[in-house]
Amino acid sequence: MSAFMGEFSQKTSAMYYPWQHPQWQMLDRLLEIDRFPHALLLCGPAFIGKQHFASALAARLLCEKPLAGFACGRCKQCLLLAAKSHPDLLWVGPEEEGKAIRIDPIRELGQFVSKTALQGGRKVAVISPAESMNLNAANALLKNLEEPTAGTCVILVSHQLSRLPATVRSRCRLLTFAVPPLAEVESWLAQVRGRKGDVSELLGYADGRPLLALRLLESDLLENRRTFERLLDEVAAGELNPLVAAEKCLASPPGMAIDWLYSRVAAQVRTAGATGAMALRFRFLDKLVRVKSRLLGSANPNVSLLWEELLMDWQRLSR
Ligand SMILES: [Zn+2]
């Protein structure tokens, strides 16, 4: 079972993020009136804490004596969770980040939901990110969503709802999460970082997504991004040769740097209005999406060559 549990396997946290209060309250009400859905789909942009929410929810569902609507952290179930060895929680993710969830772990999930709970309470399975399921996996899941066993909840987490088959979506109760309001993210960041500072640049780079902002802060990604943005400026102004710039791009995490370039082009589209270059820019955005999926796919593309091509396009578009 453990082979298929991703990075977030059995991560426990009783508390959700402050901006997730409405969603939590809604589920709390459903629990109170005994109408909790057997299949729940948490959707919204990445890096706003949906996996964390799923983890807090799983803890809440498994806890024997929830306190004020949260997992107590003290009962036998909570201790099993804290030890990452609760037999009635299954966390399914891709074997490697960015790869597909294949049929085997979903078959395993099928066996998990059909058994009786080993601890006598509920059973919770989390699939994240759900859109990573390949078609066979998604089809195998359908049967489990159609014939739920009592006391079982399957929680799907999706960053890209449109990539999830409609047949799966329609069998789940949808719960949507949005990028939280800026002020809320700012005060949360100040709290977790222990100080208030100017975070507007950071939040701009993170598109307002709190966990991405935190990740940028905690790694050298912020500096990395600044360097990358400068490089794009220089290429756009014709001060730096795209071929030279391509070599420098190799220092940035490729999937992420493509996203950064994407944001720049998207910003051009927003500010430039309907000019002749509009169609070219949209075509370039499509190309970036394709390049990113090639980078994350199983083939090993020549990254340096890809950057040369992208930066030449970028220079042409920026003229
Ligand atoms: Zn408990």
Side-chain angles (χ1 to χ4, degrees):
M1 201 174 275
S2 57
F4 302 112
M5 296 205 238
E7 182 194 343
F8 295 94
S9 61
Q10 300 216 344
K11 201 161 81 172
T12 49
S13 44
M15 201 53 199
Y16 52 82
Y17 288 117
W19 52 87
Q20 299 173 328
H21 186 65
Q23 286 90 343
W24 188 270
Q25 260 193 326
M26 203 273 275
L27 292 180
D28 215 35
R29 268 198 302 276
L30 292 178
L31 261 175
E32 252 171 49
I33 58 170
D34 205 17
R35 287 274 184 281
F36 201 82
H38 68 274
L40 193 59
L41 173 52
L42 315 182
C43 68
F47 293 110
I48 57 170
K50 299 184 303 298
Q51 305 213 46
H52 183 90
F53 186 92
S55 159
L57 183 60
R60 161 76 175 87
L61 291 172
L62 293 170
C63 174
E64 283 167 16
K65 291 176 195 141
L67 285 173
F70 298 105
C72 73
R74 288 198 290 263
C75 71
K76 187 180 170 201
Q77 310 309 322
C78 285
L79 295 179
L80 279 169
L81 275 176
K84 299 183 192 302
S85 55
H86 201 297
D88 297 322
L89 172 65
L90 177 69
W91 199 292
V92 178
E95 284 176 75
E96 242 180 281
E97 200 183 329
K99 303 286 181 198
I101 297 177
R102 299 152 82 90
I103 192 168
D104 291 347
I106 299 297
R107 282 199 182 121
E108 212 160 339
L109 181 144
Q111 285 163 12
F112 171 84
V113 298
S114 64
K115 286 184 312 202
T116 20
L118 290 166
Q119 287 294 319
R122 292 192 181 91
K123 273 178 305 176
V124 181
V126 183
I127 307 174
S128 178
E131 65 271 14
S132 300
M133 283 187 290
N134 66 21
L135 199 60
N136 287 340
N139 285 335
L141 177 68
L142 283 181
K143 197 179 164 296
N144 299 311
L145 296 180
E146 269 162 14
E147 300 162 15
T149 37
T152 301
C153 180
V154 181
I155 304 172
L156 286 80
V157 178
S158 173
H159 314 309
Q160 277 176 290
L161 195 57
S162 60
R163 283 179 55 206
L164 202 63
T167 43
V168 171
R169 270 184 278 160
S170 65
R171 282 165 178 79
C172 303
R173 172 86 178 233
L174 198 69
L175 196 57
T176 308
F177 294 78
V179 173
L182 207 60
E184 205 164 340
V185 178
E186 278 177 353
S187 73
W188 176 76
L189 269 177
Q191 232 173 35
V192 293
R193 300 293 296 171
R195 66 186 155 86
K196 232 182 156 81
D198 183 19
V199 288
S200 51
E201 181 198 15
L202 178 72
L203 284 175
Y205 285 157
D207 294 323
R209 292 178 286 171
L211 301 189
L212 186 54
L214 194 63
R215 193 157 141 186
L216 288 170
L217 268 178
E218 286 174 346
S219 59
D220 53 3
L221 279 176
L222 184 60
E223 203 38 54
N224 215 318
R225 171 123 190 206
R226 282 186 183 135
T227 310
F228 185 78
E229 296 288 338
R230 272 198 300 274
L231 178 140
L232 288 183
D233 289 338
E234 286 168 15
V235 172
E239 293 161 5
L240 183 64
N241 185 316
L243 305 186
V244 177
E247 286 305 309
K248 297 187 177 182
C249 281
L250 300 178
S252 301
M256 208 165 255
I258 300 264
D259 285 345
W260 297 340
L261 179 54
Y262 190 98
S263 318
R264 280 294 288 269
V265 181
Q268 280 186 342
V269 168
R270 278 196 302 273
T271 54
T275 62
M278 193 67 130
L280 289 176
R281 291 203 171 103
F282 276 119
R283 226 174 293 156
F284 188 50
L285 289 175
D286 285 342
K287 183 175 185 173
L288 289 173
V289 173
R290 284 199 307 276
V291 168
K292 188 175 172 188
S293 66
R294 266 178 72 193
L295 280 173
L296 296 175
S298 49
N300 283 318
N302 183 330
V303 183
S304 155
L305 216 61
L306 282 176
W307 274 120
E308 285 178 15
E309 192 184 329
L310 293 178
L311 290 173
M312 282 194 281
D313 288 346
W314 163 250
Q315 194 168 52
R316 263 197 299 274
L317 277 178
S318 308
R319 274 198 194 127

